[in-house]
């Protein structure tokens, strides 16, 4: 496994099912260059924890968009399997018409480039990457197969990144939008802890 934080997110070209249900044969991560992107991986379509995570991302697509973030999902399934799963209702084990691209990594090239292939099961682990407008990975999290992610934590980190970019202040433990940041200096730490140490 590799740590990509602080590095350029690997670009890729692959087939994808788009939000309107069409199949784009040459989808590229760089199609969204200049935007914030959340790139997340799941192990397999038509499985168990995966639909809950995909639907959780889909339910927050508008909230991501308000923050100028494009969500992109990837698994090793084909675009045709993605299409079938997307066209299966949730009460039948499907995911419904999700509103973000679903990329087909059938050759495992994207999983390999991001260093998140499961060591024994040859599928993607539950990995998420926050990519900034310059294409740099600012956050990554990788869960093993049984452990579903908290999509709201990704939203919190987007808020923290955008706060830092706007104000130049760093975000202490548990920081949430609307809370004060911290000057990245010894004096800034002391000032912050004076008021907030007991609540950490």
């Amino acid at each position: 496994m590799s740590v990509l934080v602080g590095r350029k997110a690997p670009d890729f070209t692959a087939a994808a099912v788009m939000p309107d249900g069409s199949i784009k044969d040459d989808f590229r991560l760089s199609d969204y260059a200049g935007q914030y992107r959340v790139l997340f991986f799941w192990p397999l379509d038509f499985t168990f924890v995966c639909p809950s995570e995909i639907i959780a991302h889909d339910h927050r697509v508008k909230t991501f968009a308000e923050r100028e973030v494009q969500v992109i999902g990837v698994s090793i399934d084909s675009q045709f399997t993605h299409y079938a799963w997307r066209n299966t209702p949730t009460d039948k084990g499907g995911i419904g018409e999700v509103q973000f691209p679903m990329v087909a990594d059938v050759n495992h090239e994207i999983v390999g480039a991001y260093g998140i292939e499961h060591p024994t099961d040859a599928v993607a682990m539950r990995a998420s990457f926050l990519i900034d407008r310059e294409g740099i990975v600012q956050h990554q999290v990788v869960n093993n197969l049984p452990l579903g992610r908290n999509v709201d934590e990704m939203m919190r980190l987007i808020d923290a990144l955008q706060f830092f970019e706007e104000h130049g202040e760093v975000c202490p433990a548990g920081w949430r939008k609307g809370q004060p940041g911290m000057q990245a200096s010894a004096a800034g730490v002391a000032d912050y802890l004076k008021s907030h140490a007991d609540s950490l």
Side-chain angles (χ1 to χ4, degrees):
M1 183 185 300
S2 58
V3 176
L4 294 178
V5 173
R7 302 179 184 180
K8 195 85 170 176
D11 199 10
F12 55 80
T13 303
V17 179
M18 302 303 289
D20 64 359
S22 65
I23 293 176
K24 181 177 174 64
D25 292 327
D26 58 349
F27 178 92
R28 294 176 178 83
L29 179 67
S30 55
D31 290 343
Y32 299 94
Q35 298 181 39
Y36 299 101
R37 285 155 283 179
V38 166
L39 180 69
F40 79 102
F41 295 78
W42 64 89
L44 284 172
D45 294 358
F46 290 100
T47 52
F48 315 114
V49 177
C50 299
S52 69
E53 293 188 312
I54 292 167
I55 292 167
H57 281 85
D58 185 58
H59 284 173
R60 292 160 178 79
V61 160
K62 183 178 179 181
T63 308
F64 279 116
E66 289 168 353
R67 290 159 169 78
E68 301 179 356
V69 179
Q70 174 63 50
V71 177
I72 302 165
V74 184
S75 83
I76 62 169
D77 301 275
S78 74
Q79 62 271 37
F80 308 110
T81 306
H82 286 338
Y83 182 87
W85 202 24
R86 189 178 178 278
N87 283 280
T88 302
T90 55
D91 62 357
K92 302 293 184 184
I95 55 173
E97 296 180 353
V98 299
Q99 305 164 76
F100 55 81
M102 299 173 65
V103 179
D105 184 25
V106 291
N107 296 321
H108 298 216
E109 293 175 358
I110 306 170
V111 170
Y114 281 79
I116 48 87
E117 188 161 29
H118 193 275
T120 59
D121 290 0
V123 297
M125 290 188 280
R126 300 188 189 285
S128 301
F129 297 84
L130 171 56
I131 304 167
D132 70 13
R133 291 173 295 185
E134 304 301 318
I136 304 300
V137 177
Q138 294 292 335
H139 164 72
Q140 74 180 67
V141 61
V142 184
N143 291 1
N144 209 350
L145 305 186
L147 308 177
R149 285 160 285 193
N150 183 340
V151 182
D152 292 327
E153 173 64 4
M154 178 62 79
M155 203 72 69
R156 187 187 75 82
L157 288 162
I158 292 165
D159 288 339
L161 172 62
Q162 294 180 345
F163 177 88
F164 168 72
E165 290 175 341
E166 181 178 353
H167 300 284
E169 294 184 340
V170 296
C171 298
W175 181 93
R176 293 194 174 279
K177 191 172 184 177
Q179 294 180 342
M182 178 195 300
Q183 291 291 332
S185 66
V189 173
D191 185 60
Y192 180 84
L193 293 179
K194 185 190 308 178
S195 302
H196 299 91
D198 290 343
S199 62
L200 292 174

